[in-house]
Amino acid sequence: MPLNEPAAPRARRRRRAEIAARIPRGYSPALHLAAPTALGVVVLAAVVRLLDAVEPVELLAVPATLLLALAFEWWAHRSVLHRRAPLLGALCERHEREHHLAFTADDMALRSARELWLVLTPPCSALLVLAMLLPIAAAAGLLLSRDAALLGLATAVGFFVSYEWLHLAYHLPPDSPVYRVPGLARLREHHRRHHDPRLMKRWNFNVTVPVFDLVRGTLWSPRPRGGA
């Protein structure tokens, strides 16, 4: 480490190293990413197999579920991960004291695969999400229709997997070839701004697509030069 390195970057390096040192020794980044992805593929395959004569109106379950998922993402990020909700304080602690301290707005990229521990949701999250969704899908099946419930379940699980992969993409180096995908660099910039400590508790809470940041007035971007 250079002797003349400024104190602030040196402190950030030390803090990030301390956080990374707490990652479990036997942690497998590949398994952590593969598990929710495989679960999503299994659920999608099961839904395709179980669907039977889907009516056009039942297809509305897909955009309806997607909107609900985006709303939940916004709410959970704002009200659970950045505020100490009763019984859920550990989630806020992990998010703010690990994820946001390790990855700052000017240092977003992973330095090793092991740091996936600090980006992805906890390893058991996919199973917990599925456990919560199954009774909701069962109720939707009784109130609406079996196929609508199946489509909603597949959409919700697919959204969760997309969240994991998109969040991972935002924490790749800025010159990564993944940013050739149209729109992905812009989404990364939206999330990067959220990692500014001055902004993180008030702005840019959607991680996937900032629909509800726009709806709820929490979308922040720099004012154009010359603007009021």
Side-chain angles (χ1 to χ4, degrees):
M1 182 181 297
L3 294 178
N4 61 348
E5 183 181 13
R10 189 163 61 243
R12 285 200 298 268
R13 286 175 181 270
R14 183 172 61 251
R15 181 175 60 201
R16 184 161 174 169
E18 291 171 353
I19 294 170
R22 297 199 291 266
I23 298 172
R25 183 166 297 181
Y27 172 64
S28 170
L31 183 60
H32 193 175
L33 183 60
T37 304
L39 182 64
V41 171
V42 168
V43 170
L44 180 59
V47 166
V48 170
R49 187 176 181 84
L50 292 171
L51 288 173
D52 180 35
V54 177
E55 298 290 337
V57 69
E58 292 174 325
L59 294 174
L60 293 174
V62 174
T65 302
L66 188 56
L67 278 175
L68 287 172
L70 286 164
F72 179 80
E73 174 192 70
W74 181 92
W75 171 83
H77 196 174
R78 176 180 178 270
S79 301
V80 176
L81 299 185
H82 284 291
R83 297 183 184 181
R84 296 185 180 279
L87 305 179
L88 299 174
L91 295 177
C92 178
E93 181 74 14
R94 183 181 190 275
H95 188 71
E96 288 197 345
R97 302 297 297 176
E98 292 187 1
H99 181 65
H100 273 269
L101 287 182
F103 303 102
T104 57
D106 57 354
D107 189 11
M108 288 279 287
L110 291 158
R111 292 180 185 165
S112 71
R114 284 180 57 79
E115 288 190 341
L116 278 179
W117 175 270
L118 304 172
V119 172
L120 302 178
T121 57
C124 293
S125 296
L127 290 175
L128 291 174
V129 167
L130 184 60
M132 290 188 296
L133 289 174
L134 286 175
I136 296 173
L142 293 174
L143 294 173
L144 301 172
S145 72
R146 178 175 175 271
D147 283 346
L150 288 170
L151 288 169
L153 176 64
T155 303
V157 172
F159 180 88
F160 176 79
V161 175
S162 298
Y163 173 97
E164 294 283 64
W165 278 94
L166 283 170
H167 195 197
L168 165 59
Y170 305 154
H171 288 280
L172 294 176
D175 59 352
S176 171
V178 302
Y179 295 115
R180 296 172 188 166
V181 177
L184 194 55
R186 188 171 181 177
L187 290 174
R188 180 189 190 271
E189 179 61 16
H190 172 83
H191 187 63
R192 189 193 69 80
R193 292 166 184 163
H194 172 74
H195 272 262
D196 185 327
R198 299 167 298 177
L199 305 177
M200 68 179 186
K201 287 184 176 292
R202 294 185 58 194
W203 306 102
N204 294 14
F205 295 111
N206 276 127
V207 175
T208 51
V209 183
V211 172
F212 278 85
D213 278 320
L214 182 61
V215 171
R216 298 301 302 270
T218 56
L219 180 64
W220 187 93
S221 60
R223 291 180 178 178
R225 290 184 180 181

